[in-house]
């Protein structure tokens, strides 16, 4: 079993920054990729960013390019999402995800976190 625990969500003003963290525990040797999804009110869940254990960023959504970065610390089984220049449309529940192979749009995900709320106020 793999457990994913997110932290770092909260309320931030337009133009501000947040850093989300996700730490995996359990059978972490099964994980090769981790990433972040988000689901905004009235919208479908979408992939935001993903990174694999070769430190390759395998996906970055067009809507966040230039503003968000994803990184990992393998020794801590932790992935981060640094979010800068936040916009109201970034408001969503952000979910950490982990997979045995890769995380790209359309792929089935092996493990999910419970999510953390990010709210960007104008």
């Amino acid at each position: 079993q793999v457990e994913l625990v997110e932290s770092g969500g909260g309320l931030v003003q337009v133009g501000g920054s947040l850093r989300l963290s996700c730490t995996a525990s359990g059978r972490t040797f099964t994980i090769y990729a981790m990433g972040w999804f988000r689901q905004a009110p009235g919208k479908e869940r979408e992939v935001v960013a993903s990174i694999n254990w070769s430190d390759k960023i395998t996906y970055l959504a067009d809507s966040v390019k230039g503003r968000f970065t994803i990184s990992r610390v393998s020794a801590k089984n932790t992935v981060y999402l640094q979010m800068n220049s936040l916009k109201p449309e970034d408001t969503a529940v952000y979910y950490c995800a982990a997979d045995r192979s890769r995380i790209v749009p359309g792929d089935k995900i092996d493990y999910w976190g419970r999510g953390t709320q990010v709210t960007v106020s104008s």
Side-chain angles (χ1 to χ4, degrees):
Q1 298 183 27
V2 171
E3 182 181 10
L4 304 175
V5 178
E6 304 104 328
S7 63
L11 176 65
V12 66
Q13 293 184 346
V14 170
S17 298
L18 285 173
R19 188 181 73 163
L20 305 183
S21 300
C22 176
T23 298
S25 61
R27 297 171 64 87
T28 57
F29 60 87
T30 67
I31 298 171
Y32 190 68
M34 293 181 69
W36 294 91
F37 287 70
R38 68 183 182 185
Q39 187 165 20
K43 303 289 186 179
E44 65 183 61
R45 187 167 53 189
E46 63 175 346
V47 187
V48 178
S50 61
I51 190 167
N52 66 22
W53 261 216
S54 296
D55 265 338
K56 180 180 179 180
I57 297 173
T58 52
Y59 187 77
L60 193 65
D62 288 341
S63 59
V64 304
K65 285 181 178 177
R67 300 189 297 120
F68 292 10
T69 57
I70 187 169
S71 61
R72 74 177 184 95
V73 179
S74 60
K76 295 185 176 182
N77 294 307
T78 297
V79 65
Y80 302 98
L81 185 68
Q82 179 66 48
M83 304 185 293
N84 300 320
S85 302
L86 283 161
K87 304 174 181 179
E89 50 263 46
D90 295 318
T91 295
V93 177
Y94 284 71
Y95 296 91
C96 181
D99 198 84
R100 296 181 181 183
S101 57
R102 68 178 187 177
I103 297 174
V104 296
D107 280 5
K108 184 179 183 296
I109 304 302
D110 293 323
Y111 311 108
W112 289 100
R114 296 183 65 183
T116 185
Q117 177 71 46
V118 171
T119 302
V120 184
S121 63
S122 59

